[in-house]
């Protein structure tokens, strides 16, 4: 196999399975090339990604000869994407009854999902996340994209207890907006031992849902290493969770209009 | 930029955004290289993917100088993956009350999701799909992966009508197993004009849910170009939908055990 071919196939494998270990020794055997040759190829891919600012190729500690790819979103690309997204969402047609914001189209847009996955996974790449947790329904597509880029499983918290989930832990909480008692249920088999969970959701107002998920995860002795939401309201400023990251902030929602902008901390 | 660098960056871009058009003329301008040079690079990437059996680089008709990547799953890889998956699922611990099968862990496994996305998208790559439709909750992760590889939006059918979905079309149907009247609701803004929909779901028994989704989509004048499910039951043989593809077939579920195998047509 010639070097150009190897570079193409290595790049394909690294990018197609982000964060998944690539075992260089195994691959060298399979391709019938020296390990040192593959290592030189990988070094060139690493340099190229670094020079372009589009990704990292990490050498994995503790795995013999393992490397993995993690995408990087350049600052300018992030600003441009979030700016365009904020403009797209600042559309009075999106204001629904009760000052809810219509997001379902954006949460199904493949480019938005891919961007959110790359951005949020890059933010938490060193947090040791081993499970992404979300609550049905609207955050699932976002959570799946983040989980893909972190190469970890996704666990979906259900709003009611289902037979198809097997043995589950169920908790209750008072929702922030409706002031009603809500139920949350999570299948016991979905949470790994020594879980380090990243909570992903589409929207945060007061943070009651995120706090309830954290409390549910505490029943599994899971550690919550972060909370990431697609859009957060500017008010109330103090949320019920200690810390969170958001991509977008919605400052005002009324029948007259809506103002969405990139979340201040991500600019 | 040297040829090796260009090959690495082109491969990264193609693979990271499957099915999304890459405009060669624009990129040639941005990189300051001749279009013919990039075209030669892309030809080499195309040959390499074809030789390895891992993907196609298509020239897009009607878009000036556009190409796009589509993954290919080799026959042997498909057989090996589905065989292992069937063995993993043929575990008596997965049998739940009422002869349901526990699938939630697998439906959150990043490698399974990626594989399903590549396999199903490859099967429907020429069907002109412009929206992937699923029903909440368990099929969403699968549908999101398929939609990613087809580079089309995903539309989620809700089990009840929600204010956050805006104006919606709601229908009713009788579920196959529980013989109860069920509700389905789909946001009007989620279905494109001249929709060509691929229905994706996790499980099919009689096919009542898939048929109900097709009937709901008929209210949008959408054409259903296919139905793909992760697992189908062997019985009843005749489903309520005209045609479908499945990855796995479950032949027997009882308290004594469960037998899952690759779906006959996909072997």
């Amino acid at each position: 196999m010639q070097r150009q071919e190897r570079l193409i196939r290595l790049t394909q494998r690294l990018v197609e399975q982000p964060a998944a270990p690539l075992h260089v020794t195994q691959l060298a055997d399979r391709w019938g090339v020296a390990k040192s040759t593959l290592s030189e190829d990988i070094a060139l891919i690493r340099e190229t990604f670094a020079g372009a600012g589009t990704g990292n190729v990490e050498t994995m500690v503790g795995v013999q000869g393992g490397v993995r790819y993690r995408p990087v979103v350049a600052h300018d690309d992030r600003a441009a994407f979030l700016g365009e997204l904020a403009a797209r969402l600042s559309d009075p047609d999106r204001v629904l009854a009760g000052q809810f914001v219509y997001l379902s189209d954006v949460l199904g847009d493949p480019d938005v999902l891919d961007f959110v996955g790359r951005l949020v996974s890059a933010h938490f790449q060193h947090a040791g996340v081993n499970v992404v947790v979300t609550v049905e329904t609207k955050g699932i597509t976002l959570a799946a994209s983040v989980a893909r880029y972190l190469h970890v499983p996704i666990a979906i918290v259900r709003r009611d207890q289902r037979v198809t989930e097997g043995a589950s832990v169920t908790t209750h909480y008072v929702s922030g907006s409706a002031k009603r008692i809500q139920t949350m249920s999570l299948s016991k088999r979905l949470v790994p031992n020594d879980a380090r969970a990243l909570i992903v959701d589409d929207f945060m107002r007061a943070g009651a849902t995120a706090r309830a998920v954290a409390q549910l995860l505490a029943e599994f002795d899971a550690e919550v290493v972060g909370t990431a939401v697609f859009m957060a309201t500017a008010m109330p400023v103090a949320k019920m969770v200690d810390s969170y990251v958001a991509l977008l902030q919605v400052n005002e929602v009324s029948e007259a209009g809506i103002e969405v902008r990139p979340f201040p901390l991500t600019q």
Side-chain angles (χ1 to χ4, degrees), chain A:
Chain A
M1 204 186 301
Q2 293 204 326
R3 183 163 210 206
Q4 291 179 341
E5 278 183 64
R6 291 198 311 270
L7 291 173
I8 291 167
R9 291 187 62 179
L10 280 168
T11 303
Q12 181 189 25
R13 162 56 186 81
L14 286 167
V15 172
E16 197 144 78
Q17 295 177 56
L22 172 68
H23 299 292
V24 180
T25 309
Q26 283 177 19
L27 192 63
D29 288 349
R30 199 171 342 137
W31 286 1
V33 297
K35 190 186 166 189
S36 59
T37 304
L38 277 197
S39 294
E40 282 170 31
D41 295 339
I42 288 167
L44 179 58
I45 294 170
R46 179 185 286 120
E47 282 167 35
T48 302
F49 288 170
T54 54
N56 289 327
V57 179
E58 296 176 356
T59 300
M60 293 174 70
V61 178
V63 178
Q64 209 184 13
V67 295
R68 64 181 166 196
Y69 166 74
R70 292 195 188 273
V72 168
V73 181
H75 185 274
D76 287 356
D77 292 342
R78 183 174 65 178
F81 197 98
L82 291 179
E84 279 173 36
L85 196 53
R88 179 176 167 192
L89 292 172
S90 296
D91 176 348
D93 284 349
R94 292 189 172 273
V95 179
L96 303 169
Q99 273 78 64
F100 286 96
V101 185
Y102 185 77
L103 293 177
S104 297
D105 58 336
V106 172
L107 299 177
D109 180 316
D111 293 322
V112 172
L113 294 173
D114 190 68
F115 174 81
V116 172
R118 283 188 281 137
L119 196 61
V120 174
S121 70
H123 188 88
F124 289 99
Q125 64 182 297
H126 302 302
V129 175
N130 59 12
V131 62
V132 168
V133 180
T134 191
V135 187
E136 63 179 342
T137 297
K138 285 171 63 193
I140 297 174
T141 52
L142 297 166
S145 185
V146 174
R148 173 180 185 275
Y149 276 110
L150 290 171
H151 196 248
V152 299
I154 174 172
I156 299 171
V157 175
R158 306 295 298 254
R159 289 294 191 175
D160 48 12
Q161 219 284 308
R162 296 273 178 162
V163 59
T164 53
E165 299 296 310
S168 300
V169 174
T170 299
T171 56
H172 303 277
Y173 73 105
V174 177
S175 74
S177 45
K179 296 287 178 206
R180 282 187 316 187
I181 291 186
Q182 306 259 11
T183 302
M184 275 189 178
S185 186
L186 181 54
S187 171
K188 289 193 74 169
R189 305 191 204 186
L190 288 184
V191 182
N193 290 331
D194 302 316
R196 294 177 61 81
L198 172 62
I199 298 171
V200 173
D201 209 355
D202 57 315
F203 198 83
M204 181 184 286
R205 196 178 302 258
T209 302
R211 190 177 66 172
V213 174
Q215 287 169 343
L216 175 56
L217 287 168
E219 297 293 331
F220 291 83
D221 293 325
E223 185 171 347
V224 175
V225 299
T227 300
V229 298
F230 182 70
M231 184 182 280
T233 55
M235 303 295 289
V237 174
K239 309 294 191 196
M240 293 183 189
V241 292
D242 291 340
S243 69
Y244 67 101
V245 295
L247 302 190
L248 297 166
Q249 187 178 64
V250 58
N251 294 291
E252 201 179 321
V253 183
S254 71
E255 277 161 38
I258 172 172
E259 187 201 341
V260 176
R261 59 179 191 181
F263 194 76
L265 297 180
T266 61
Q267 277 176 320

